[in-house]
Amino acid sequence: MVSATIDLLKKELPFEEGSLVLSKDVKTGLVLVDVVNGFCSVGAGNLAPVKPDKQISYMVKESARLAKLFCGEKWPVFGFLDSHHPDIPEPPYPPHCIAGTDEARLVPDLQWLENEANATLKCKDCIDGFLGSVEKDGSNVFVDWVKKNQLKAILVVGICTDICVLDFVCSTLSARNRRMLTPLEDVIVYSGGCATFDLPVHVAKDINGALAHPQDLMHHIGLYMAKGRGARIVSEVSFAAL
């Protein structure tokens, strides 16, 4: 019944996915959104999966693959790390990814980026990484990264498709449209490189204040919304002969 409903909704909300072949002709940067233990590693915290999750595991695998390829070619990589002060809540979510804990670290397959000169890592204390990049002096670490590297495109992967990824993509598109990110032209979201969590309705109803969050449907809606805001959605990412 649930899968039939999801299939029906996907039919009513279709969108096209393309393929992306990366080459040196278009200067592209990779953006990793919150691929941290607290959202991806089984049992790592309040918002981590309670058991192995196929969609999340594939997202981590693809994120690591792309990060290695980008760094191998000395192409810029930017990573957001969800990181919160223990005394500052983020409603409606329970405490998660507390700064200084293992929850707030990149997953093991990406921890090598902590010592990678080609990677810029930014801890953020809010859902939207674009806002989370604003410094006390008003500068924006992400905006500076785009301009410093003269990026024409960014490729976005991470978690959650319909939450942190979507909010970041929407803000970035608005900033691009206001010419705040020149020379950025394309914001590209790789569907297989994104994932979200699963909270079925029969589980959510027993959690006070919780909203049901069927994984496949919300992943689709996140991509659909990003597409509607102007992002390119791709289902395949490959590299031209470099």
Side-chain angles (χ1 to χ4, degrees):
M1 177 63 181
V2 174
S3 61
T5 302
I6 291 174
D7 289 341
L8 176 62
L9 288 170
K10 286 182 177 181
K11 185 177 179 181
E12 293 297 315
L13 298 172
F15 61 86
E16 291 185 7
E17 295 186 73
S19 59
L20 176 66
V21 179
L22 294 162
S23 73
K24 292 183 177 179
D25 294 336
V26 179
K27 197 161 188 185
T28 304
L30 177 67
V31 178
L32 304 161
V33 180
D34 291 345
V35 191
V36 296
N37 288 314
F39 295 145
C40 305
S41 299
V42 174
N46 288 326
L47 297 184
V50 297
K51 60 183 179 180
D53 183 284
K54 183 178 179 180
Q55 188 183 93
I56 294 175
S57 295
Y58 188 75
M59 176 274 295
V60 169
K61 177 183 175 182
E62 286 297 278
S63 296
R65 176 181 75 89
L66 290 170
K68 289 177 181 177
L69 289 169
F70 269 73
C71 289
E73 294 297 327
K74 305 300 182 188
W75 290 5
V77 174
F78 193 102
F80 288 112
L81 286 72
D82 205 54
S83 181
H84 297 277
H85 189 283
D87 296 330
I88 303 178
E90 187 182 42
Y93 305 104
H96 63 280
C97 298
I98 301 302
T101 69
D102 202 49
E103 277 190 64
R105 288 191 69 191
L106 290 166
V107 296
D109 286 351
L110 285 170
Q111 286 179 7
W112 57 274
L113 286 173
E114 296 172 353
N115 300 306
E116 170 59 52
N118 202 58
T120 299
L121 302 181
K122 173 60 179 170
C123 293
K124 67 179 183 67
D125 59 359
C126 60
I127 294 170
D128 186 338
F130 190 93
L131 291 178
S133 294
V134 177
E135 301 284 72
K136 290 182 179 180
D137 63 2
S139 63
N140 187 299
V141 178
F142 171 71
V143 171
D144 292 344
W145 175 77
V146 170
K147 292 184 174 182
K148 175 185 176 182
N149 291 288
Q150 287 292 289
L151 299 177
K152 288 289 187 71
I154 57 169
L155 176 62
V156 184
V157 297
I159 191 169
C160 290
T161 319
D162 55 313
I163 306 174
C164 293
V165 172
L166 178 62
D167 280 18
F168 165 72
V169 166
C170 290
S171 292
T172 299
L173 288 165
S174 292
R176 178 205 64 182
N177 292 346
R178 293 199 65 204
R179 306 295 188 266
M180 294 170 59
L181 286 166
T182 304
L184 186 70
E185 296 176 358
D186 286 332
V187 176
I188 307 163
V189 180
Y190 171 33
S191 58
C194 293
T196 193
F197 66 94
D198 190 35
L199 185 62
V201 64
H202 70 274
V203 176
K205 69 181 181 64
D206 293 328
I207 302 174
N208 185 36
L211 293 174
H213 191 277
Q215 184 181 54
D216 288 344
L217 176 59
M218 299 310 296
H219 177 67
H220 179 86
I221 288 176
L223 296 171
Y224 178 87
M225 295 296 291
K227 176 88 169 181
R229 295 295 189 273
R232 288 175 55 193
I233 311 297
V234 299
S235 58
E236 297 178 351
V237 178
S238 60
F239 282 69
L242 300 176

